[in-house]
Amino acid sequence: MQQIELPGLALAVPKAPALSGVAVPARFGIALDPMIDLALAGHAPVYVGVSGGKDSQALAYRVREHLDAIGHTGVRALIHADLGRIEWRDSAPVCERLAERLGWELVTVRRPAGDMVDRWLSRWAANVERYRTLSCVKLIMPWSSAAQRFCTSEMKSQIIARAIRARHPGGPVVSAVGLRRDESAARARRPVAKQDAGLTRVRVVGLAWNAILHWPRQDVLDYIARCGGVLHEAYRIYGSTRVSCAFCVLASRGDLRASARCEDNAAVYRELVELEAGSTFSVQPGHWLGDVAPELLTAELGSQLVEAKERAAQRQAVEMEIPAHLLYEAGWPTCLPTLAEARHLASVRRRIAQVVGIAADCLDGEAVQARYAALMQERVQRRSA
């Protein structure tokens, strides 16, 4: 397949790694912090989180160069959270090649309960059950989102922190992360370093270090080339602008199309579209993943997607009939519906269940009222316990 060169993204040509002691140009300066300096002076273990993407690759090379320069003799390792079948096929090999070039150990961690796709599938099953028992008023989508990034917290941060804590039950630990300020407004507000709650325990002080926080994108690319690194195939061959999940819920349409062009991603693409069709929730608000590469769908799945869009519109129209005061706050009802309100909500539930094709309890006014009353009483008991 023809290689694609994006603007400002020249293909790196392998060469010898940068030698220790060679002066680093000022533009590639590392972000420093007194907490990090103190921990490194004490030779604290350093773990660099790597995904296979350009930022983590540049981070690893730059942290290695800094540690060599200050005479750090502590543990150094790369750590990669494998998200399973939604990973690009080249992500693990990129991390492995990077570890080999650095001469560092690569620690690969995985969520014991299943991969990212399993997490979305189990979330959908749990949300259907919650709807059945009226533990939620509106049906909740299976996907993570910008507001609920459990994909990052549960699948990466928590798993990585757990592995590092197990390896180092005492003393300070430094976790370097490849976040950059020019990626988003939220990241622009990040500090260079902070105490990491996930890593910190009674005998372990964990520090998160955003060592290339101030680097622009071009510096990342140029530094990788300077170190002789080779970029992920997502950039080189398929024209993606970033590397994360092959079909990230936050990805641009262009990056989703780039992922769909990779034959290795076709199976998981169809699996995600099946979940779209079955749940009536699109992967991204207002944008169906199934529309990105319809040529990859079977005729049957394509028909199911068309029907799912119609059912989604029906579901949303019915949900608009729910009075705002009957919605739960933090998972709990705030008031008891009148019998008329309860009967109307029961009607909504019957129609939603039929449209989506799921089971539901509390399908008459009396049952809805009783469920609200039971939940309100449970909440009172929990608060007083």
Side-chain angles (χ1 to χ4, degrees):
M1 183 175 290
Q2 181 181 8
Q3 297 196 69
I4 298 174
E5 293 197 28
L6 301 179
L9 202 162
L11 303 185
V13 178
K15 60 182 180 182
L19 299 175
S20 298
V22 176
V24 180
R27 62 183 289 223
F28 301 130
I30 200 163
L32 300 175
D33 179 273
M35 294 188 297
I36 298 297
D37 293 342
L38 183 61
L40 296 184
H43 307 288
V46 177
Y47 286 80
V48 177
V50 289
S51 64
K54 61 186 185 302
D55 294 336
S56 60
Q57 189 174 167
L59 171 74
Y61 282 126
R62 187 62 187 91
V63 167
R64 184 277 304 267
E65 200 159 2
H66 178 67
L67 296 181
D68 286 349
I70 65 173
H72 176 269
T73 60
V75 171
R76 310 176 186 183
L78 304 181
I79 190 160
H80 171 62
D82 184 349
L83 301 182
R85 55 196 188 272
I86 201 167
E87 288 262 14
W88 282 83
R89 68 175 180 184
D90 199 35
S91 293
V94 167
C95 296
E96 291 164 2
R97 291 193 297 268
L98 180 60
E100 184 177 356
R101 289 177 64 81
L102 295 176
W104 291 11
E105 179 187 9
L106 172 64
V107 180
T108 300
V109 295
R110 299 173 181 86
R111 175 175 173 265
D115 67 11
M116 187 70 253
V117 178
D118 292 327
R119 179 64 178 88
W120 285 327
L121 290 169
S122 64
R123 173 178 162 88
W124 174 241
N127 288 343
V128 167
E129 177 61 15
R130 289 176 65 194
Y131 189 81
R132 182 187 69 79
T133 61
L134 193 46
S135 297
C136 58
V137 181
K138 286 186 175 182
L139 196 57
I140 301 170
M141 68 179 182
W143 317 108
S144 42
S145 64
Q148 291 189 310
R149 293 191 63 178
F150 58 83
C151 47
T152 299
S153 60
E154 293 182 18
M155 305 299 299
K156 294 183 180 181
S157 303
Q158 294 175 16
I159 305 301
I160 287 174
R162 188 178 305 143
I164 294 175
R165 291 198 312 268
R167 286 171 156 244
H168 304 282
V173 179
V174 175
S175 174
V177 185
L179 298 183
R180 294 186 299 109
R181 286 184 176 132
D182 69 358
E183 291 181 300
S184 70
R187 292 186 174 185
R189 296 188 292 270
R190 295 290 185 93
V192 169
K194 67 174 184 178
Q195 187 165 311
D196 188 316
L199 277 178
T200 300
R201 290 295 181 268
V202 175
R203 297 171 54 222
V204 179
V205 176
L207 299 174
W209 182 23
N210 300 314
I212 60 170
L213 186 65
H214 57 298
W215 285 24
R217 178 175 178 273
Q218 192 58 51
D219 283 4
V220 169
L221 299 172
D222 291 346
Y223 192 74
I224 293 172
R226 178 180 186 268
C227 295
V230 178
L231 294 173
H232 194 292
E233 68 174 12
Y235 306 119
R236 293 184 292 106
I237 297 176
Y238 299 101
S240 183
T241 64
R242 62 193 297 268
V243 170
S244 56
C245 292
F247 299 104
C248 176
V249 296
L250 303 179
S252 68
R253 301 301 280 177
D255 283 352
L256 292 176
R257 286 191 289 269
S259 295
R261 285 194 288 270
C262 178
E263 185 177 351
D264 292 314
N265 296 332
V268 74
Y269 174 78
R270 285 187 284 269
E271 188 171 4
L272 297 182
V273 175
E274 287 173 359
L275 184 52
E276 280 189 316
S279 68
T280 72
F281 284 95
S282 55
V283 166
Q284 296 178 338
H287 298 287
W288 295 81
L289 184 62
D291 290 337
V292 169
E295 68 279 4
L296 296 180
L297 307 180
T298 63
E300 181 182 4
L301 183 53
S303 297
Q304 291 173 358
L305 183 65
V306 171
E307 181 184 344
K309 293 177 183 179
E310 296 173 353
R311 293 188 293 123
Q314 295 171 28
R315 171 180 54 77
Q316 291 163 357
V318 174
E319 287 175 339
M320 290 179 66
E321 298 179 19
I322 302 173
H325 68 278
L326 294 185
L327 297 175
Y328 295 170
E329 292 184 7
W332 299 96
T334 59
C335 66
L336 188 68
T338 66
L339 185 56
E341 289 174 332
R343 286 172 175 165
H344 182 68
L345 185 54
S347 169
V348 168
R349 289 177 58 75
R350 288 194 299 270
R351 285 176 283 160
I352 292 292
Q354 182 177 11
V355 165
V356 182
I358 58 176
D361 300 335
C362 303
L363 297 179
D364 59 62
E366 290 75 9
V368 168
Q369 265 195 333
R371 179 58 172 158
Y372 267 72
L375 287 171
M376 292 174 72
Q377 180 62 30
E378 182 181 346
R379 188 182 192 188
V380 170
Q381 292 173 347
R382 289 194 181 192
R383 283 179 168 178
S384 60

